[in-house]
Amino acid sequence: GDSVTQMEGPVTLSEEAFLTINCTYTATGYPSLFWYVQYPGEGLQLLLKATKADDKGSNKGFEATYRKETTSFHLEKGSVQVSDSAVYFCALPPAGTYKYIFGTGTRLKVLA
Amino acid sequence: EPEVTQTPSHQVTQMGQEVILRCVPISNHLYFYWYRQILGQKVEFLVSFYNNEISEKSEIFDDQFSVERPDGSNFTLKIRSTKLEDSAMYFCASSLGGGAGNTIYFGEGSWLTVV
């Protein structure tokens, strides 16, 4: 079945460092891909999405490119801030279903 | 910006008691969902609901669970006889359309603690 694999956390970075959080997937067909973020004590918020191969989703300085050839959707940001400290989830909706499958989440901690 | 709202934000209940978690989805959305997240674990799909019936459910969503849209705005999750392992954050979500590619919007969650 479809699955999402995220890099293990936690990831600890200094402010202004470059961020990459890896996400790879296994899916039937070419589903849309999503990144959600969960700030401490809050719910899941959509961060960005891409709906087809080679699409780049972007929001708040974060970017992710839908790579069909490597089945990846890595999240990147050029310069992280303390306020980016959160848990980041990669997700996809398997074809023919109403649900999303989430990765295990990657906790990011940014130090001032 | 429209949002999904959930109540209560936190509930503590005795094992064996019934719990109802409430949600108000985004007003023009047609598809509604419940997910849960056990502390430190991944977010898991429970059920999706469309046109007043369940459209899909996971193996977690057994006879202990039920969902209802009692009026035009609320969407509820009932857990009939809570167990310790039901302790989790429960997220309600909604989307305009169903199926792959539709963006799902989540509420802030209801944290359920079963003691």
Side-chain angles (χ1 to χ4, degrees), chain A residues 4 31-32 34 36 38 41-46 49 51 89 93-105, chain B residues 31 33 35 37 40-45 48 50 55-56 89 91 98-109:
Chain A
V4 175
S32 296
F34 299 81
Y36 281 82
Q38 185 178 30
E42 298 186 16
L44 295 165
Q45 300 176 25
L46 176 66
K49 72 176 188 179
T51 58
F89 292 91
T97 76
Y98 295 94
K99 65 186 177 188
Y100 280 21
I101 290 175
F102 286 82
T104 51
Chain B
Y31 293 78
Y33 313 84
Y35 286 75
Q37 183 183 28
Q41 298 186 26
K42 64 166 61 179
V43 177
E44 302 174 292
F45 169 77
S48 61
Y50 169 71
S55 47
E56 186 176 0
M89 177 75 88
F91 292 106
N102 281 280
T103 300
I104 296 179
Y105 296 88
F106 288 82
E108 295 204 344

Side-chain angles (χ1 to χ4, degrees), chain B residues 14-73:
Chain B
Q14 297 275 343
M15 193 167 53
Q17 295 296 303
E18 176 182 284
V19 162
I20 297 177
L21 305 178
R22 292 183 167 80
C23 168
V24 179
I26 294 172
S27 62
N28 63 334
H29 284 187
L30 301 176
Y31 293 78
F32 315 114
Y33 313 84
W34 284 100
Y35 286 75
R36 79 172 185 191
Q37 183 183 28
I38 295 172
L39 186 63
Q41 298 186 26
K42 64 166 61 179
V43 177
E44 302 174 292
F45 169 77
L46 293 179
V47 66
S48 61
F49 191 86
Y50 169 71
N51 200 26
N52 281 318
E53 60 182 31
I54 291 173
S55 47
E56 186 176 0
K57 61 182 182 179
S58 72
E59 60 276 7
I60 302 169
F61 194 87
D62 60 20
D63 292 343
Q64 177 196 9
F65 294 91
S66 62
V67 289
E68 190 179 30
R69 188 153 163 83
D71 52 43
S73 59

Side-chain angles (χ1 to χ4, degrees), chain A residues 39 41 68 79 93 101:
Chain A
Y39 297 104
K68 183 177 67 173
S79 176
I101 290 175

Side-chain angles (χ1 to χ4, degrees), chain A:
Chain A
D2 294 14
S3 66
V4 175
T5 302
Q6 284 184 239
M7 64 186 289
E8 292 284 333
V11 174
T12 303
L13 296 173
S14 299
E15 210 164 24
E16 299 183 5
F18 184 85
L19 168 71
T20 300
I21 298 179
N22 290 340
C23 171
T24 57
Y25 66 89
T26 303
T28 304
Y30 303 105
S32 296
L33 300 173
F34 299 81
W35 277 101
Y36 281 82
V37 58
Q38 185 178 30
Y39 297 104
E42 298 186 16
L44 295 165
Q45 300 176 25
L46 176 66
L47 181 59
L48 54 84
K49 72 176 188 179
T51 58
K52 60 183 188 298
D54 300 324
D55 261 6
K56 178 185 284 187
S58 61
N59 186 26
K60 300 181 181 180
F62 291 89
E63 294 182 338
T65 301
Y66 190 158
R67 302 276 188 210
K68 183 177 67 173
E69 59 280 1
T70 54
T71 61
S72 65
F73 192 55
H74 303 324
L75 182 68
E76 296 181 335
K77 187 175 185 183
S79 176
V80 294
Q81 305 300 312
V82 172
S83 57
D84 294 326
S85 297
V87 181
Y88 292 82
F89 292 91
C90 187
L92 65 83
T97 76
Y98 295 94
K99 65 186 177 188
Y100 280 21
I101 290 175
F102 286 82
T104 51
T106 302
R107 182 175 300 277
L108 170 67
K109 185 173 182 179
V110 181
L111 304 175

